[in-house]
Amino acid sequence: MPGFADIRRADEALIRTALAAAALAPATGDVPIGAVILDASGAPVATAGNAREATGDPTAHAEILVLRAAAAALGHWNLTGYTLAVTAEPCTMCAGAIVLARIQTVVFGCWEPKTGAAGSLWDVMRDRRLTHRVEVRGGVLADECAAALVDFFAPRR
């Protein structure tokens, strides 16, 4: 059974993969948030970055896009046993989609106190009233993930 240090190292590697996907988003004017989904063996299934500006789709958050890509690659929507890593705490839309997809674990980078639905503002993914609850580990490489957002928004404010 892996110890805390092993899990933390694995989570950091996941977030680094998500950060690489996030780094592509600003080229289209999108907020640098990236996501990756891994199967139970730890093999990556899909990666995505935000694409709302690129596509004109208000639902094109990294988490939604990576869920769609994983479902398409696998040929089914049920992602029981899969892990999703994302650079920022998911919003309520994304948290709802994660629950509906039956994701087992979510690992995220920085907290989102204004929109977060994994413990900051709401805790959708662990709500006991739902039929599926997600294991959540947040704050992984939080400073690096937050810096990507600060760097993106600084010249826009």
Side-chain angles (χ1 to χ4, degrees):
M1 178 127 174
F4 176 78
D6 296 327
I7 292 170
R8 193 65 175 185
R9 276 192 297 278
D11 287 353
E12 288 176 358
L14 291 176
I15 294 298
R16 289 195 195 289
T17 301
L19 278 165
L24 303 175
T28 58
D30 281 290
V31 177
I33 296 176
V36 60
I37 290 182
L38 289 87
D39 66 17
S41 73
V45 175
T47 61
N50 272 357
R52 291 188 329 167
E53 298 299 327
T55 63
D57 178 355
T59 69
H61 290 199
E63 300 95 327
I64 299 296
L65 296 176
V66 81
L67 287 168
R68 290 176 182 162
L74 297 166
H76 57 84
W77 64 267
N78 189 323
L79 301 177
T80 299
Y82 289 74
T83 296
L84 185 151
V86 61
T87 55
E89 180 181 6
C91 70
T92 52
M93 174 184 69
C94 294
I98 288 165
V99 169
L100 292 173
R102 306 290 193 265
I103 290 286
Q104 178 177 319
T105 305
V106 167
V107 177
F108 69 86
C110 60
W111 296 89
E112 286 285 349
K114 293 181 181 178
T115 61
S120 286
L121 191 55
W122 296 284
D123 201 354
V124 172
M125 293 185 286
R126 294 179 287 198
D127 190 319
R128 295 193 184 279
R129 295 168 293 183
L130 299 176
T131 58
H132 177 75
R133 281 174 292 287
V134 179
E135 177 186 354
V136 177
R137 296 193 296 270
V140 179
L141 299 178
D143 292 343
E144 289 180 44
C145 294
L149 296 171
V150 168
D151 291 348
F152 176 81
F153 285 112
R156 290 165 172 78
R157 292 195 170 140

